[in-house]
Amino acid sequence: MTTMAAPSAFDTTALREGIERSDADALLALYADDAELRMVDRKTQPSHPLVMHGRDEIGAMLSDLYGREMTHKLEQVVLQGDHLAFMESCQYPDGVRVLVSSIADLRDGRIVDQTSIQAWDETEPAK
């Protein structure tokens, strides 16, 4: 009798720890080699999103983002089969906040296709 291996589960604990510890390498480990990530925001609008292909491009973006002086918090995460959704809140030392909502498809427990939408404070934070 042949048994099929169960699909690898996505590690939501690693996602939380990577985000909240600003660990770009831990986060990059959650992506497949051929992953694609699209970022939509005020500058890279839906018609022309920033698109990163593969772990090298995604890793460079993660290193830049999580190398900045700011805090990151995983607010929500939903995992259902091969689909993942999560929301991250960030804050710079000057009080400017960023909210990022992401949805992703998974293969073998790794992200293969992700779209993230981010919104930034556009007014000066209250002092």
Side-chain angles (χ1 to χ4, degrees), residues 10-68:
F10 182 80
D11 190 346
T12 57
T13 299
L15 177 67
R16 178 175 301 282
E17 290 175 356
I19 287 172
E20 295 185 357
R21 293 181 182 167
S22 296
D23 187 339
D25 290 334
L27 290 170
L28 184 59
L30 299 174
Y31 289 84
D33 290 339
D34 61 344
E36 182 173 280
L37 190 154
R38 280 170 304 290
M39 183 66 69
V40 176
D41 58 25
R42 188 172 184 214
K43 292 180 185 175
T44 57
Q45 297 175 5
S47 297
H48 304 286
L50 172 63
V51 181
M52 290 152 277
H53 303 277
R55 289 171 46 97
D56 288 343
E57 290 181 16
I58 293 169
M61 182 274 300
L62 292 172
S63 292
D64 173 50
L65 177 64
Y66 290 96
R68 297 177 188 176

Side-chain angles (χ1 to χ4, degrees), residues 90-108:
C90 311
Q91 184 171 357
Y92 284 91
D94 66 359
V96 171
R97 294 180 180 269
V98 182
L99 187 63
V100 183
S101 181
S102 300
I103 189 163
D105 292 324
L106 307 171
R107 182 182 65 229
D108 298 326

